[in-house]
Amino acid sequence: MKEKLLLLLFLCFTVQWATAQNASFTTNITANGCELATYEFTDTSTGVDASTQFYEWIFGNGNSVELAASDPAASVQAATYSGAGTYSVTLNIKDGPGAGGNILSTATEQIVVYEPADPDFVADEVFGCTSHTVTFTDLTDTSDPLVGAIEEWTWNFGDGTTISGPFSTITHTYTNPGNFQVTLTVETFAGGLQNCIASEVKADYIRVRHTPEANFTVQNLPACSLPYVAQFQSTSTVPTSPPPPGTINAYEWTFYDTDGVTVLGTSTLENPDFTYIDYGVYPVMLMVRTTDGCTDDRLILNAVRINENIADFNLPTAATCQNANLVFTDNSSAGAVGWSWNFGDGSPPATAQNPTHVYNTPGTYNVTLTTTFSDGCAVTSAPQSITINAAPNANFSISPPDVQCAVPSTLTFTPVSTGAGFTYSWNFGDPTFID
C-alpha cells in the first residue's frame, strides 16, 4: 500500500512538471514614438493550456485586458501611450478568470515613450566683421533616459544657408553684414519609426558688420629735396550696403624709418603731414576703424622714396673758341632719364645727354643742366662758367710787298693777329710748312 502511494505522488509531480507555464512576450512599436506611441505585444509563452487557462495583460497606462488563452486575440495585443515615460507591461498566465484565478506565471517588459530634447548651442564669436567665421557647438543634454541619442543636427545660420548631418560642431562664414537668427534643430531617437524633433532659435544671435578697406596716397610726390614734408591722404573706404552701413571714425598712422622697424612718428589725423630730413625709402602704415569696431590696415613699404639725385656735367676739354663745336658731358647721378641744357647764350635748350654746342660770340657764359630722374624729380645743377675766345684773324702781310724777281728772294710774312697763346702754321705753297 505504501509503495502504491509513492508511485501516485511521483506520477502527479511528473505531470505537473511537464505542463509548467512560462510567460513571455515581445514588444514592437507600431506607430509614432515621440510623446505618443503605439506598441504591439506578442505572446511567446510556453506550457499554456489553452482550454483552461487565461491571459491577463496589464499595459501600464491604466488599461488592462483578460482573455481566455484559447481566444486568438489573447496572443497579440496593442496599447497606445499618450505621454513620454517608461511603462511596465505585464503578462499574467492564470488558471481562472478574474480575481479568483491564480497566477501561474508572469512576465514584465519595459517600454519607453520618448520626449524631445531641449536643444542648446553656443557660438565662439557672436560679433565680427566681414568675412566673419563662427564655430557653433551643440550643448544639447541627452542624459535624461526619456531623451534618445541625437541622430541628426540641422543648422540654419540665418543667411540662407542650412546644413544637416552629423555635425555637433560646425563652422560657418558670414560674407555679408547683418543680424542673423540661428536655429539648431536636433532629431533624437524615438523607438525607430520616427525621431523626436526640437529646435532652439536665437534671434539676432550673430552680428556682422562691414570691414573697411584701408588705403592712402601721398599727394605731393615725387620727393625731390630735403626737408620733404609729405602730405598723406586717406583714401580708405567702407561699404554702405547691404545695411547696416559702415562708417570710418578712427585713423592710426605709423611712419617708419628706412629699416621698417623704428617708428619716426604717429598720427591720428585723417590726412596728416610728416617731415622727412634724410634720403631713403620709408614704409608707412595706416589702420582704420569703423564705429562698429571693424578694422583694416595697409602697409606700403615704399610709400615715400627720397633719392639723392645730383645734376652735374663736365665742360668741354677742347679749346673754347668762337664758332667751335664744343661737347658738354653729362655727369649726373644714376637714374637720369632726361636732360635740359641751358648754355647761357639765349639759344634753345638742348635735350641730348651729351650735346654739342657752338657759341657765335666771344664772352663768358653760365651753363646749367637740369636732369630729370626716373623718380620724376628734376634737379638743376650748379652753374659753371665757360669763356669763349674770339676766333683769330688768319691774315698776314708780306714785306716787301713788291714782287721780287731775283731768285732766291727773301720775304717776310707777318700775321695780323698776334698775342700771348697764339700759335701759327704756315704753308708757303712751295711746298714748305712751318709750325
Side-chain angles (χ1 to χ4, degrees), residues 213-221 228-237 248 251 253 255 267 269-274 276 284-288 298 300 303-304:
E213 182 177 356
N215 207 352
F216 63 91
T217 61
V218 184
Q219 292 294 94
N220 57 331
L221 289 176
Y228 171 63
V229 180
Q231 299 171 359
F232 293 94
Q233 182 177 49
S234 171
T235 57
S236 305
T237 58
I248 297 174
Y251 302 83
W253 297 83
F255 307 107
S267 176
L269 297 177
E270 180 179 359
N271 301 308
D273 292 347
F274 190 77
Y276 295 89
V284 176
M285 185 172 71
L286 168 62
M287 190 276 286
V288 295
R298 175 73 190 280
I300 300 180
V304 176

Side-chain angles (χ1 to χ4, degrees), residues 66-140:
E66 185 177 86
L67 298 169
S70 59
D71 188 338
S75 298
V76 178
Q77 286 289 306
T80 297
Y81 300 85
S82 59
T86 300
Y87 298 87
S88 295
V89 181
T90 301
L91 170 59
N92 294 321
I93 299 176
K94 300 171 63 178
D95 61 3
N102 297 309
I103 296 175
L104 303 177
S105 180
T106 186
T108 299
E109 298 289 345
Q110 302 287 327
I111 61 102
V112 177
V113 179
Y114 292 88
E115 66 183 7
D118 184 14
D120 192 16
F121 63 93
V122 67
D124 62 341
E125 296 287 346
V126 296
F127 175 82
C129 307
T130 55
S131 294
H132 180 48
T133 299
V134 184
T135 298
F136 297 92
T137 302
D138 173 40
L139 301 178
T140 303

Side-chain angles (χ1 to χ4, degrees), residues 299-382:
L299 172 66
I300 300 180
L301 295 177
N302 59 344
V304 176
R305 181 186 296 272
I306 312 174
N307 295 320
E308 190 174 4
N309 298 318
I310 299 174
D312 193 19
F313 62 94
N314 295 323
L315 293 172
T317 57
T320 54
C321 295
Q322 177 186 7
N323 299 322
N325 290 323
L326 303 179
V327 178
F328 294 81
T329 305
D330 171 45
N331 193 34
S332 301
S333 57
V337 295
W339 301 265
S340 179
W341 296 85
N342 184 342
F343 297 108
D345 60 353
S347 61
T351 57
Q353 182 177 7
N354 301 305
T356 298
H357 187 67
V358 175
Y359 286 94
N360 298 319
T361 304
T364 298
Y365 301 91
N366 286 326
V367 181
T368 59
L369 168 62
T370 299
T371 304
T372 302
F373 293 87
S374 57
D375 60 4
C377 291
V379 180
T380 301
S381 69

Side-chain angles (χ1 to χ4, degrees), residues 5-21:
L5 181 59
L6 289 174
L7 177 59
L8 180 60
L9 291 173
F10 174 76
L11 291 174
C12 291
F13 175 79
T14 300
V15 171
Q16 184 176 358
W17 175 83
T19 60
Q21 293 75 33

